[in-house]
Amino acid sequence: MKKEIKKFAVLGHPIAHSLSPKIHLLFAKEFAIDLEYKKFDINPDNFFVNVKRLEAEGYQGLNITLPLKIAAFAICDQLSERSSFCKSVNTITFLDNNIIGDSTDGRGLLNDLSNKKINTKGKNIFLVGAGGAANGAIYDLIQSKPKKIFLTNRTFTKAIEMKKYWKSFAEKNQVTLETIDLDFSNRLNFDLIINATSSSLTNQHSPLPEHALHCLKDDGVCYDMMYGSQTPFMKEAYKKTDSVYDGLGMLVEQAAASFNIWHQLAPATENIEASLKNL
Ligand code: ATR
């Protein structure tokens, strides 16, 4: 009997440059799983109709990327605790006519930090940005038990809102949340600065003023959730430290977490970045 191919896809707008199909096919190869993984450019206005169409066509799961993660959150019948808190869904599973949503971005970030031997426990983290990416990652960041997470954002009121929203979850995990204006004094000491803004998509400048990097400890780390080319944030960060990373590892790890949800298998991720460069 012919084995049925499992069907998956990633939805976004735009989607042409998504690496998700390549990553999932590399994972599938490790376990000799026969799967198809497509990418579809979906207009946010037609999101729900398209998700239902793909479900009807026999797709087993979908990854959801920008700008559709909040729309995905809104249409799910069941949500993981993580995605309920983050109000974001990047992984949909179709099960018994239900749309089940989860968010693997935060796990992707934390697993990538762990691969890079970057410890967050007991540390001071500076999280820059208060949009979807920052809110998608902070649940797992808090659960990794840093000492403090400092929040900032170009529109500062959004950082204040974000602190208010996450305050009780942070307290439950014995983590202190603070907001700091970008013009703060230089007395703080960060172990890790994470750029969770989308500034490099539209701007040639780092979202942080130069003096902010003086607050990075000498053995501190800078991490940009963006990937593709060296961002203005990364260029500035290199002036202070060699420990500068982009978000390609996070992308691979969030994909691995989605793969695990769908196939209950943990793919090896260590060679995927190199394989992607050679494809
Ligand atoms: P995403 O899902 O990628 O996080 P988003 O929810 O639109 O997208 O959020 C974008 C984030 O990047 C916001 O924190 C935004 O700051 P504002 O709230 O002030 O808009 C931040 N951002 C975008 N462009 C930026 C820039 N040029 N400088 C600094 N921050 C920027």
Side-chain angles (χ1 to χ4, degrees):
M1 202 170 75
K2 201 174 162 239
K3 236 168 68 186
E4 204 180 315
I5 293 185
K6 296 181 173 189
K7 289 163 71 168
F8 297 89
V10 58
L11 315 189
H13 185 65
I15 198 65
H17 299 294
S18 171
L19 293 173
S20 292
K22 286 176 182 154
I23 296 172
H24 278 266
L25 291 175
L26 285 166
F27 290 161
K29 208 168 158 191
E30 181 187 341
F31 302 104
I33 297 174
D34 231 357
L35 68 78
E36 166 193 304
Y37 191 111
K38 293 198 167 166
K39 48 186 170 188
F40 295 113
D41 194 321
I42 302 291
N43 190 304
D45 295 339
N46 305 324
F47 179 66
F48 183 60
V49 177
N50 277 293
V51 169
K52 292 307 280 180
R53 174 179 60 79
L54 293 169
E55 181 183 23
E57 286 176 14
Y59 280 78
Q60 299 192 353
L62 305 172
N63 279 132
I64 310 296
T65 189
L66 299 180
L68 305 170
K69 293 182 190 181
I70 298 173
F73 164 78
I75 63 157
C76 285
D77 301 302
Q78 287 174 41
L79 291 165
S80 67
E81 181 190 280
R82 184 182 269 99
S83 56
S84 230
F85 264 104
C86 298
K87 298 187 174 167
S88 171
V89 162
N90 78 339
T91 306
I92 278 177
T93 308
F94 295 118
L95 196 67
D96 302 331
N97 286 323
N98 280 323
I99 302 175
I100 299 169
D102 205 340
S103 170
T104 65
D105 289 326
R107 259 175 290 169
L109 172 66
L110 267 294
N111 288 346
D112 189 39
L113 291 174
S114 161
N115 293 343
K116 293 177 163 64
K117 312 274 180 270
I118 300 164
N119 185 19
T120 49
K121 192 169 178 191
K123 300 295 170 79
N124 286 331
I125 299 175
F126 189 21
L127 182 58
V128 186
N135 278 284
I138 195 170
Y139 177 98
D140 289 85
L141 271 180
I142 289 172
Q143 284 203 323
S144 75
K145 308 267 187 211
K147 186 173 169 204
K148 287 188 182 175
I149 302 176
F150 297 86
L151 304 175
T152 198
N153 192 49
R154 176 178 62 180
T155 311
F156 192 59
T157 47
K158 275 173 70 183
I160 295 170
E161 283 303 310
M162 186 168 166
K163 178 183 162 185
K164 230 192 257 174
Y165 180 77
W166 287 100
K167 193 167 176 272
S168 71
F169 184 67
E171 278 169 3
K172 254 186 230 157
N173 286 278
Q174 293 93 46
V175 176
T176 305
L177 279 190
E178 292 195 15
T179 48
I180 19 175
D181 197 287
L182 281 175
D183 296 323
F184 56 87
S185 78
N186 275 6
R187 282 197 218 118
L188 296 163
N189 255 330
F190 302 124
D191 298 285
L192 170 64
I193 302 179
I194 300 173
N195 180 21
T197 75
S198 55
S199 68
S200 41
L201 296 177
T202 51
N203 203 309
Q204 300 306 306
H205 302 288
S206 167
L208 279 184
E210 208 186 321
H211 70 258
L213 283 166
H214 297 317
C215 300
L216 185 71
K217 286 185 186 165
D218 287 341
D219 59 351
V221 175
C222 288
Y223 191 102
D224 198 320
M225 287 196 195
M226 290 279 157
Y227 61 89
S229 57
Q230 203 177 88
T231 64
F233 168 78
M234 291 170 71
K235 279 184 197 145
E236 281 299 313
Y238 272 121
K239 292 182 189 166
K240 167 82 184 176
T241 174
D242 286 336
S243 301
V244 180
Y245 300 96
D246 72 2
L248 185 58
M250 174 179 172
L251 178 82
V252 171
E253 288 296 338
Q254 64 76 33
S258 293
F259 190 90
N260 185 253
I261 289 170
W262 293 329
H263 306 283
Q264 290 78 51
L265 292 165
T269 52
E270 55 272 19
N271 298 323
I272 297 292
E273 284 184 48
S275 304
L276 287 171
K277 281 172 193 148
N278 292 333
L279 279 175

